[in-house]
């Protein structure tokens, strides 16, 4: 499979079957992702791959936090208020998602319920939390993005769907508690993954991309 095929065929999945990925395959996937590049080769990623009984406990802890109405307290401030074309694209992705689900614009309750599925990992059997030392700041975050993309492409090549989730960095306390993470390790974001439920309407959501000229300038 070429990278072009992988990129042209992938889309975030938000509904999964319960088919698990064997531990040996998980290890091979994350071993390959170790080839990802990073600034000065510092390799800041500390990845927590959560499955099985720990996934159940983590899901319960996150739902408890959410139900208690706790305000998000992410370890890293990475949720800007999007402006102009960024805001338009943000709306575009929300419309693709809610359109696929048949949720009307004004139906706040249905939107909230759909949003809440982030913290039940969209029923995926596996979830990865991408963590790094808090002191690393923006260059660490750059490396983490490159790394997460590497993981998602390896998964896609293996026929495994995924969804990166900033939402999984919004409530770090229960994650830190269940996974016993030290305070200095920040949780940047997460990724649910597994085999996509092909019949789920949500997985029909498709987003667009800006024209090349809007994104790239060539200089001679
Ligand atoms: C860093 C990052 C955080 C994201 N956070 C979420 C999230 O919390 N919940 C969600 O459903 N999708 C999330 N997404 C998925 C994006 O919405 C999605 O990648 C984008 O709309 C493009 O659609 P596509 O992945 O289907 O091509 C995130 C993606 C990235 C890269």
């Amino acid at each position: 499979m070429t990278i072009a095929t992988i990129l042209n065929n992938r889309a975030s999945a938000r509904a999964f079957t319960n088919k698990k990925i064997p531990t040996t395959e998980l290890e091979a996937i994350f071993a390959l992702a170790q080839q990802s590049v990073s600034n000065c080769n510092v390799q800041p990623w500390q990845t927590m791959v959560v499955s099985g009984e720990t996934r159940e406990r983590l899901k319960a802890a996150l739902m408890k936090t959410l139900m208690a109405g706790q305000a998000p307290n992410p370890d890293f401030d990475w949720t800007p208020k999007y402006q102009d074309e960024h805001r338009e694209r943000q709306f575009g992705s929300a419309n693709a998602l809610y359109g696929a689900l048949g949720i009307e614009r004004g139906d706040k309750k249905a939107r909230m319920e759909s949003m809440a599925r982030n913290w039940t990992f969209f029923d995926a059997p596996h979830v990865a939390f991408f963590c790094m030392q808090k002191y690393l700041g923006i260059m660490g975050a750059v490396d983490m993005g490159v790394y997460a993309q590497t993981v998602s492409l390896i998964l896609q090549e293996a026929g495994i769907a995924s969804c990166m989730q900033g939402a999984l960095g919004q409530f770090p306390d229960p994650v830190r508690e269940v996974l016993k993470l030290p305070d200095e390790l920040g949780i940047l974001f997460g990724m649910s993954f597994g085999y996509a439920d092909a019949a789920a309407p949500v997985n029909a959501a498709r987003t667009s991309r800006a024209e090349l000229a809007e994104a790239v300038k060539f200089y001679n």
Side-chain angles (χ1 to χ4, degrees):
M1 202 184 290
T2 64
I3 291 175
T5 306
I6 292 170
L7 287 173
N8 286 324
N9 292 316
R10 68 149 295 287
S12 294
R14 296 182 180 86
F16 297 83
T17 70
N18 58 13
K19 184 180 169 189
K20 292 189 177 63
I21 300 161
T23 305
T24 48
E25 194 178 346
L26 286 178
E27 285 169 356
I29 287 163
F30 285 91
L32 184 55
Q34 284 298 102
Q35 295 305 322
S36 193
V37 295
S38 57
N39 188 38
C40 300
N41 199 28
V42 294
Q43 307 166 58
W45 47 86
Q46 293 286 296
T47 308
M48 312 300 149
V49 183
V50 185
S51 318
E53 193 264 333
T54 309
R55 175 197 171 282
E56 294 306 310
R57 280 195 292 122
L58 185 53
K59 184 173 96 170
L62 280 165
M63 285 323 283
K64 196 172 158 200
T65 303
L66 201 65
M67 293 303 164
Q70 192 192 297
N73 61 334
D75 288 331
F76 302 94
D77 177 20
W78 67 274
T79 46
K81 199 161 166 40
Y82 289 123
Q83 300 171 14
D84 307 319
E85 71 271 28
H86 305 140
R87 195 162 164 72
E88 271 170 40
R89 292 171 193 159
Q90 181 184 30
F91 284 140
S93 78
N95 287 341
L97 178 60
Y98 297 128
L101 286 167
I103 296 174
E104 300 290 332
R105 201 183 174 84
D107 192 345
K108 280 197 176 150
K109 185 169 173 283
R111 285 185 172 224
M112 292 287 282
E113 282 167 5
S114 162
M115 181 70 186
R117 284 183 47 76
N118 272 286
W119 293 284
T120 58
F121 319 129
F122 303 120
D123 294 333
H126 310 279
V127 57
F129 286 83
F130 299 116
C131 309
M132 67 175 195
Q133 299 280 313
K134 287 178 183 167
Y135 84 90
L136 284 166
I138 192 161
M139 280 317 291
V142 170
D143 295 337
M144 297 298 290
V146 174
Y147 170 78
Q149 170 78 329
T150 303
V151 172
S152 84
L153 295 181
I154 296 168
L155 291 171
Q156 184 73 21
E157 188 187 32
I160 298 165
S162 63
C163 184
M164 293 193 205
Q165 294 168 265
L168 294 181
Q170 297 297 298
F171 301 103
D173 301 342
V175 184
R176 189 166 278 116
E177 197 180 309
V178 172
L179 303 183
K180 300 188 174 30
L181 303 181
D183 280 348
E184 63 274 15
L185 198 62
I187 300 157
L188 198 53
F189 61 116
M191 177 194 276
S192 296
F193 63 97
Y195 293 96
D197 177 353
V202 70
N203 284 343
R206 289 295 177 271
T207 52
S208 62
R209 297 295 187 270
E211 294 297 326
L212 181 65
E214 286 182 55
V216 184
K217 287 187 175 54
F218 297 93
Y219 296 85
N220 288 307

